[in-house]
Amino acid sequence: MAFRNYKPEIGTIVNVMRGNDCCSQTMTLRTDNGIVNFIITSDTKVIDNRQMRPGLWVAAFYDASLPVPLIFPPQYQAKLVTILGREEQIMLNEFDRNLTARDNSLQLNIAGNTNIETLNGQSVNCSLGNQTLLVYYTVTTRSIPPQTTPRRIVVLC
């Protein structure tokens, strides 16, 4: 997968409707920029296989390199969906051997209680450096780059 092109929309689920077939759904999010629709199919990766329902705070990632219909509200094909805590932030990025994001926007400080796993929930016993990581965190320092001790990291192999 080319995670580099994935862009998130973060918001509250307003509605989940059955799609065109029994294996797809349309999820409507209320974001800071307005309403956005996401098509969820059997190809969509849903972290922890959680059921999407109204009221949940989620991040839905789409492939920004793919064409999208010029309709309102915007509609994207969801590639990755995850449920967030109320004050939680998320970042999907490539991290170097020092655990600094490729774009220098975040540096990770791993704690003993940081939950680290693969996309399918398996434990990780290798270095996190030079990997694509989905990072869940709440606060950062005001340094450059900002630093955080994440609550959870999902390694996207």
Side-chain angles (χ1 to χ4, degrees):
M1 285 188 184
F3 298 109
R4 180 173 286 182
N5 295 325
Y6 283 20
K7 302 294 180 214
E9 286 287 342
I10 298 173
T12 303
I13 298 175
V14 176
N15 194 15
V16 180
M17 298 179 304
R18 183 173 168 252
N20 295 335
D21 59 41
C22 63
C23 293
S24 67
Q25 298 176 321
T26 299
M27 176 178 70
T28 302
L29 288 184
R30 179 177 292 117
T31 71
D32 288 343
N33 298 320
I35 297 293
V36 180
N37 288 325
F38 280 93
I39 306 301
I40 299 174
T41 67
S42 58
D43 294 329
T44 303
K45 303 294 184 210
V46 179
I47 303 291
D48 298 331
N49 295 316
R50 300 271 307 270
Q51 183 70 34
M52 298 295 113
R53 58 182 166 71
L56 290 175
W57 181 251
V58 299
F61 290 83
Y62 64 96
D63 188 339
S65 68
L66 296 177
V68 294
L70 294 174
I71 60 174
F72 185 81
Q75 180 171 291
Y76 302 108
Q77 179 75 37
K79 295 295 186 178
L80 179 70
V81 179
T82 186
I83 296 172
L84 302 175
R86 263 297 160 206
E87 300 298 320
E88 199 160 47
Q89 298 179 56
I90 195 157
M91 174 183 281
L92 175 62
N93 212 322
E94 295 172 11
F95 287 80
D96 66 16
R97 63 183 177 85
N98 298 317
L99 299 181
T100 301
R102 173 178 39 93
D103 60 2
N104 207 37
S105 60
L106 191 66
Q107 184 173 10
L108 307 179
N109 298 315
I110 307 302
N113 63 346
T114 301
N115 181 12
I116 303 170
E117 60 192 14
T118 63
L119 191 58
N120 64 2
Q122 303 303 306
S123 55
V124 174
N125 297 319
C126 61
S127 169
L128 296 178
N130 300 315
Q131 301 272 3
T132 300
L133 306 175
L134 182 64
V135 180
Y136 299 74
Y137 63 98
T138 52
V139 295
T140 62
T141 63
R142 295 194 183 272
S143 61
I144 304 223
Q147 296 182 34
T148 191
T149 302
R151 173 186 70 82
R152 181 180 186 188
I153 297 173
V154 176
V155 180
L156 303 177
C157 302

